[in-house]
Amino acid sequence: AQTVTQSQPEMSVQEAETVTLSCTYDTSESDYYLFWYKQPPSRQMILVIRQEAYKQQNATENRFSVNFQKAAKSFSLKISDSQLGDAAMYFCAYRRGSQGGSEKLVFGKGTKLTVNP
Amino acid sequence: DAGITQSPRHKVTETGTPVTLRCHQTENHRYMYWYRQDPGHGLRLIHYSYGVKDTDKGEVSDGYSVSRSKTEDFLLTLESATSSQTSVYFCAIRTGVGRPSPLHFGNGTRLTVT
């Protein structure tokens, strides 16, 4: 079974600084997708960024970018110019490529990010 | 907004009582999921559905059942609630929009079993 590991239960960053959250995964598949979700105190799960495994180019969404290292099975999230509103739990997630519709999203245990003013 | 409504938002129930959580979507998407979230465990899949009357188990399905009699509704039932089922429950749908298509989540139901 696929597993997703987030080795940092908690991280903190100063406002306007850059922080990187780590994520590693275990899979024997070659076709898969990776996601980062954000969960603020409101409890809402918000998609931050997504990456297709076959694409070598790292995904970027405004201040959020990933460092996707396929051989190392690593998918870290970089937040630049951190803002107070970035404070949240961040979850890394993995999904196999299409297998007839039964693909499921597997989550890591999360990293709690604190942003200090 | 993917049009997902979970009800109730909060519920307190006693051990041994049956509980049903409802997930309603407005856009007729095929895939729907139930996850539970617990501290130190992230989100874990309970059951999912890939169409009306088509459901399958996830990694933590013991003690739970689901039903999907209409495309828009996916029900999660705890036949006899236990304290270990105290959790936050999230429903999610996959819209198929964007590549790769992500899951969109409801706002969650906080269930407390006393």
Side-chain angles (χ1 to χ4, degrees), chain A residues 20-63:
Chain A
T20 299
L21 309 184
S22 66
C23 172
T24 58
Y25 55 94
D26 182 25
T27 184
S28 59
E29 305 290 332
S30 59
D31 181 21
Y32 55 88
Y33 308 113
L34 297 162
F35 305 84
W36 277 98
Y37 280 86
K38 168 186 177 181
Q39 186 181 42
S42 67
R43 207 165 73 193
Q44 178 109 24
M45 291 289 288
I46 302 166
L47 176 69
V48 175
I49 202 165
R50 50 188 152 178
Q51 174 84 39
E52 296 170 273
Y54 72 87
K55 285 189 175 180
Q56 293 187 334
Q57 186 175 4
N58 290 323
T60 299
E61 289 286 345
N62 300 314
R63 296 182 295 106

Side-chain angles (χ1 to χ4, degrees), chain B residues 13-19 63-64 77-85 113:
Chain B
T13 192
E14 294 185 348
T15 298
T17 59
V19 177
Y64 302 94
T77 297
L78 291 65
E79 301 290 347
S80 178
T82 67
S83 58
S84 65
Q85 293 175 313
V113 183

Side-chain angles (χ1 to χ4, degrees), chain B:
Chain B
D1 184 1
I4 308 169
T5 303
Q6 288 187 236
S7 58
R9 181 96 165 126
H10 304 275
K11 186 170 182 66
V12 179
T13 192
E14 294 185 348
T15 298
T17 59
V19 177
T20 295
L21 309 183
R22 180 178 183 242
C23 178
H24 177 79
Q25 59 152 325
T26 60
E27 300 179 358
N28 293 322
H29 294 294
R30 181 180 176 189
Y31 299 103
M32 299 184 76
Y33 307 79
W34 277 108
Y35 282 85
R36 61 177 287 174
Q37 182 180 18
D38 305 288
H41 290 278
L43 281 82
R44 293 178 292 174
L45 182 65
I46 305 171
H47 281 278
Y48 65 100
S49 170
Y50 45 96
V52 174
K53 299 190 188 304
D54 290 325
T55 65
D56 206 348
K57 296 178 180 181
E59 63 179 306
V60 290
S61 60
D62 287 348
Y64 302 94
S65 63
V66 290
S67 66
R68 193 166 178 202
S69 58
K70 298 184 292 184
T71 300
E72 59 266 36
D73 289 325
F74 191 32
L75 305 180
L76 177 70
T77 297
L78 291 65
E79 301 290 347
S80 178
T82 67
S83 58
S84 65
Q85 293 175 313
T86 292
S87 187
V88 178
Y89 292 85
F90 284 95
C91 174
I93 63 173
R94 186 149 70 88
T95 64
V97 175
R99 184 173 172 82
S101 58
L103 294 189
H104 297 271
F105 289 82
N107 289 329
T109 295
R110 180 176 295 279
L111 176 67
T112 302
V113 183
T114 62

